[in-house]
């Protein structure tokens, strides 16, 4: 059997567009004489559809589209694709998450998802009815063990602590053992349709997990993963096929659509056709630290701590997430406030790669506290990127605001209110430009700032998408160096000068926060791994930091006091295991003892 792995970028709710993607790939697979073309989880309707699943019209359209796609299999290869279907049972949830096998012009088999994740960003138990059992099916004499995403993430030989008591893969392999001899001559084949979001280190963990399954069951394992950005989530693709020894025998691209082929005619040495994909040797050479991520996954430590996923993957995720968010929301242009600082410079560089220089507008809004050097740095960045750059000075506007407030502010010193007022003036101007020119505002705050509340509601937090809201400041510097990998994009002075909000004379970030090399590991431990102050102290001391518990508690207090800001923030592109947003849920009105 020749398989085609069709890694596509669906849009939630775009049944017409998603069906076109599926049929186009099926036609290309037919040209290569593929017997079966496999698509990601919920490819027909897009993932995650969220409360769209509550609409009967949405489910009816999903069924109609699936039947239309099935009609194409009268003359082409069989298609295995994910979709949402109405549940038939009189009780329970109204929807099923299924993998539908389409052949002979009809839906010939449906496998329902059994394990429904309900952690981090996943909320599938809210919508879907879980399968009570899994069933093997046979296509052209080849048995297929079909699973859907989480169904393959519960291998007892890989995870030290599992989320579920049952393992759908085990259930399918037990059925395999009962097959008649003429069928068992075919290679064992486990197929997984996925919509597995990216985070730093995820690709290595996923590959190691699938390799463990392949070895334990002496089976070929094929995973087809969605690619693209949908709201805060970025899907990396990275679809792959592994042999019974756990070796990668076919690998699709990361962060791009792809179509690859594998021929299982020879069980011992399947022939492979991999257009636009890496060889197995190249994959292994580019991922030399697989063991460290496996240990991270099994011990619960973070991907940032092991940091074996290279900066280029995070860069690609941010570019893809930005591009798809803007375009899938129906826009083509972006606005960015360029302060001359490193955060806005990095966001601008990402936006240009995502959207093209002609679609990015940089706006400088200097105040009396903005240095000439910062304006020069912003102008140099714009020139390096080839984007339009305009200055809108806010000095006079700020003076008008302060005069209006003078009767109420009388007798009080210049302070936080006046600092934030400058930021809010800039936010108003950005939104006016957004309305006038139909461009989305990209916010420029990083994860360190979002964690500690070093950001202004209705000011620098204004915008449609927080591009680097899941990137700690120390990683901002690493990504900025990566942006300059081929030529100078971000001016060197922007990277090397002390960071400052420039909202008062001679202001520096370190006036309010510890140095970022001290701050970020504290935040990572507390925000991403929920460590206590004492645990963070022990960890940082062991790492050689000279730090006291009082400083740690002050930082953690900033995190707790800023929850109300984060819950009013723009959607944040997720690139770590624990980002702000749906995957990290805390009350606002709460008293936490630190």
């Amino acid at each position: 059997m020749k398989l085609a792995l069709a890694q596509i970028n669906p849009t939630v709710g775009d049944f017409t567009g998603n069906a076109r993607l599926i049929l186009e790939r099926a036609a290309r697979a037919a040209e290569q004489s593929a017997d079966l073309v496999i698509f990601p989880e919920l490819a027909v309707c897009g993932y995650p559809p969220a409360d769209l699943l509550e609409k009967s019209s949405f489910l009816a359209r999903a069924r109609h589209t699936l039947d239309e796609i099935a009609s194409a299999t009268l003359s082409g290869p069989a298609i295995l694709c994910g979709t949402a279907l109405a549940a038939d049972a009189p009780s329970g949830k109204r929807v099923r998450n299924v993998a539908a096998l389409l052949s002979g012009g009809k839906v010939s088999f449906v496998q329902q998802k059994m394990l429904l994740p309900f952690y981090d960003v996943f909320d599938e138990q809210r919508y879907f009815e879980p399968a009570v059992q899994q069933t093997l099916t046979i296509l052209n004499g080849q048995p297929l063990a079909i699973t859907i995403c989480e169904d393959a993430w519960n291998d007892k030989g890989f995870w030290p602590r599992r989320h579920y008591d049952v393992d759908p893969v085990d259930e399918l392999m037990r059925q395999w053992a009962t097959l008649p001899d003429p069928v068992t001559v075919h290679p064992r084949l486990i197929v997984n349709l996925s919509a597995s979001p990216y985070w730093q280190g995820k690709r290595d963990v996923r590959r190691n997990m699938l390799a463990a399954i392949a070895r334990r069951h002496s089976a070929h394992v094929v995973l087809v993963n969605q690619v693209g950005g949908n709201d805060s989530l970025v899907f990396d693709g990275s679809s792959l096929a592994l042999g019974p020894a756990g070796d990668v025998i076919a690998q699709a691209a990361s962060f791009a659509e792809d179509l690859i082929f594998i021929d299982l005619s020879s069980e011992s040495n399947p022939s492979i056709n991999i257009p636009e994909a890496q060889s197995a040797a190249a994959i292994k050479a580019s991922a030399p630290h697989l063991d460290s991520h496996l240990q991270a996954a099994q011990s619960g430590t973070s991907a940032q701590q092991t940091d074996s996923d290279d900066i280029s993957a995070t860069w690609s995720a941010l570019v893809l997430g930005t591009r798809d968010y803007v375009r899938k929301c129906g826009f083509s242009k972006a606005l960015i406030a360029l302060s001359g600082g490193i955060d806005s410079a990095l966001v601008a560089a990402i936006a240009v790669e995502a959207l093209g220089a002609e679609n990015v507008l940089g706006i400088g809004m200097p105040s009396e506290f903005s240095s000439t050097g910062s304006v020069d740095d912003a102008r140099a960045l714009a020139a390096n990127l080839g984007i339009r750059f305009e200055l809108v000075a806010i000095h006079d506007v700020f003076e008008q605001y302060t005069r209006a407030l003078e009767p109420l502010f009388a007798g009080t010193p210049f302070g936080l209110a006046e600092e934030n007022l400058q930021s809010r003036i800039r936010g108003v101007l950005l939104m006016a430009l957004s309305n006038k020119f139909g461009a989305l505002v990209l916010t420029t705050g990083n994860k360190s700032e979002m964690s500690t509340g070093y950001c202004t509601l209705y000011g620098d937090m204004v915008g449609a998408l927080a591009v680097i809201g899941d990137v700690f400041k120390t990683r901002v510097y690493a990504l900025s160096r990566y942006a300059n990998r081929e030529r100078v994009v971000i001016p060197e002075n922007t990277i090397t000068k002390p960071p400052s909000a420039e909202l008062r004379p001679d202001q520096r970030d370190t006036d309010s926060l510890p140095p970022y090399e001290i701050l970020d590991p504290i935040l990572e431990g507390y925000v991403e791994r929920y460590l206590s102050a004492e645990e963070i102290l022990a960890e940082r001391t062991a790492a050689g930091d000279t730090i006291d518990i009082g400083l740690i508690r002050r930082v953690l207090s900033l995190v707790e006091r800023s929850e109300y800001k984060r819950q009013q923030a723009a959607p944040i592109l997720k690139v770590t295991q624990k980002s702000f947003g749906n995957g990290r849920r805390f009350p606002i009105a709460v008293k936490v003892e630190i």
Side-chain angles (χ1 to χ4, degrees), residues 106-288:
K106 66 181 187 299
V107 179
S108 59
F109 177 77
V110 169
Q111 185 83 293
Q112 186 172 333
K113 190 172 184 178
M114 177 176 283
L115 305 184
L116 303 176
F118 191 54
Y119 56 84
D120 192 43
V121 297
F122 303 108
D123 208 4
E124 293 192 21
Q125 292 180 27
R126 175 183 174 95
Y127 306 105
F128 296 115
E129 180 71 11
V132 296
Q133 64 181 18
Q134 301 288 272
T135 306
L136 284 174
T137 190
I138 297 176
L139 176 67
N140 300 340
Q142 168 69 59
L144 301 175
I146 301 171
T147 61
I148 304 174
C149 205
E150 188 84 352
D151 288 343
W153 286 73
N154 202 42
D155 185 76
K156 62 187 176 184
F158 183 82
W159 301 104
R161 180 178 177 85
R162 300 189 299 162
H163 285 292
Y164 317 92
D165 292 330
V166 297
D167 184 347
V169 175
D170 272 355
E171 182 176 329
L172 290 166
M173 291 298 97
R174 284 194 294 269
Q175 293 178 32
W176 200 294
T178 66
L179 291 173
D181 289 342
V183 178
T184 56
V185 298
H186 293 276
R188 287 194 170 197
L189 177 59
I190 300 168
V191 178
N192 185 261
L193 285 64
S194 277
S196 178
Y198 170 79
W199 39 256
Q200 294 160 11
K202 178 75 166 286
R203 294 177 302 169
D204 292 347
V205 172
R206 189 191 295 133
R207 185 186 299 121
N208 280 328
M209 178 194 70
L210 295 175
I213 292 173
R215 287 191 293 266
R216 190 157 76 86
H217 297 291
S218 299
H220 289 90
V221 177
V222 173
L223 174 139
V224 180
N225 189 31
Q226 176 173 301
V227 70
N230 282 323
D231 294 352
S232 295
L233 301 182
V234 182
F235 300 86
D236 59 284
S238 309
S239 303
L240 73 167
L242 301 96
D247 53 319
V248 176
I249 57 176
Q251 174 76 64
S254 293
F255 307 106
E257 292 188 310
D258 206 353
L259 181 66
I260 65 174
F261 299 86
I262 175 172
D263 194 336
L264 296 178
S265 301
S266 171
E267 180 179 3
S268 60
N269 186 27
S271 61
I272 309 163
N273 174 24
I274 318 178
E276 302 175 325
Q278 304 175 59
S279 68
I283 295 160
K284 293 176 181 177
S286 65

Side-chain angles (χ1 to χ4, degrees), residues 422-438:
Q422 297 167 68
S423 181
R424 290 182 175 124
I425 290 169
R426 291 176 174 130
V428 168
L429 294 174
L430 285 172
M431 291 312 300
L433 292 166
S434 175
N435 292 159
K436 180 63 70 174
F437 299 113

Side-chain angles (χ1 to χ4, degrees), residues 6 26 36 115 117 125 132 143 146 172 193 275-276 296 318 347 366 401 405 437 477 481 484-485 522 548 584:
L36 174 64
L115 305 184
Q125 292 180 27
V132 296
I146 301 171
L172 290 166
L193 285 64
E276 302 175 325
L318 295 172
V347 171
Y401 270 88
L405 292 167
F437 299 113
Y477 284 98
R481 292 291 186 191
N484 288 352
R485 63 196 180 278
I522 297 173
D548 65 84
R584 189 181 184 277

Side-chain angles (χ1 to χ4, degrees), residues 328-377:
K328 289 181 180 181
C329 286
F331 293 81
S332 60
K333 298 181 181 297
L335 276 167
I336 303 168
L338 296 184
S339 65
I342 193 169
D343 296 318
S344 61
L346 176 59
V347 171
I350 291 168
V352 166
E353 184 161 328
L355 306 173
E358 69 280 7
N359 292 316
V360 179
L361 173 60
I363 304 294
M365 293 171 285
S367 73
E368 62 182 293
F369 305 115
S370 301
S371 67
T372 302
S374 290
V375 175
D376 291 342
D377 289 341

Side-chain angles (χ1 to χ4, degrees), residues 288-364:
H289 305 296
L290 302 186
D291 291 342
S292 63
H293 266 298
L294 175 57
Q295 293 166 5
Q298 293 178 332
S299 67
T301 57
S302 73
Q304 178 174 339
Q305 190 175 20
T306 56
D307 200 27
S308 67
D309 199 5
D310 56 27
I311 288 292
S312 66
T314 302
W315 173 273
S316 296
L318 295 172
V319 168
L320 178 58
T322 300
R323 178 187 299 123
D324 277 359
Y325 186 91
V326 172
R327 293 181 178 174
K328 289 181 180 181
C329 286
F331 293 81
S332 60
K333 298 181 181 297
L335 276 167
I336 303 168
L338 296 184
S339 65
I342 193 169
D343 296 318
S344 61
L346 176 59
V347 171
I350 291 168
V352 166
E353 184 161 328
L355 306 173
E358 69 280 7
N359 292 316
V360 179
L361 173 60
I363 304 294

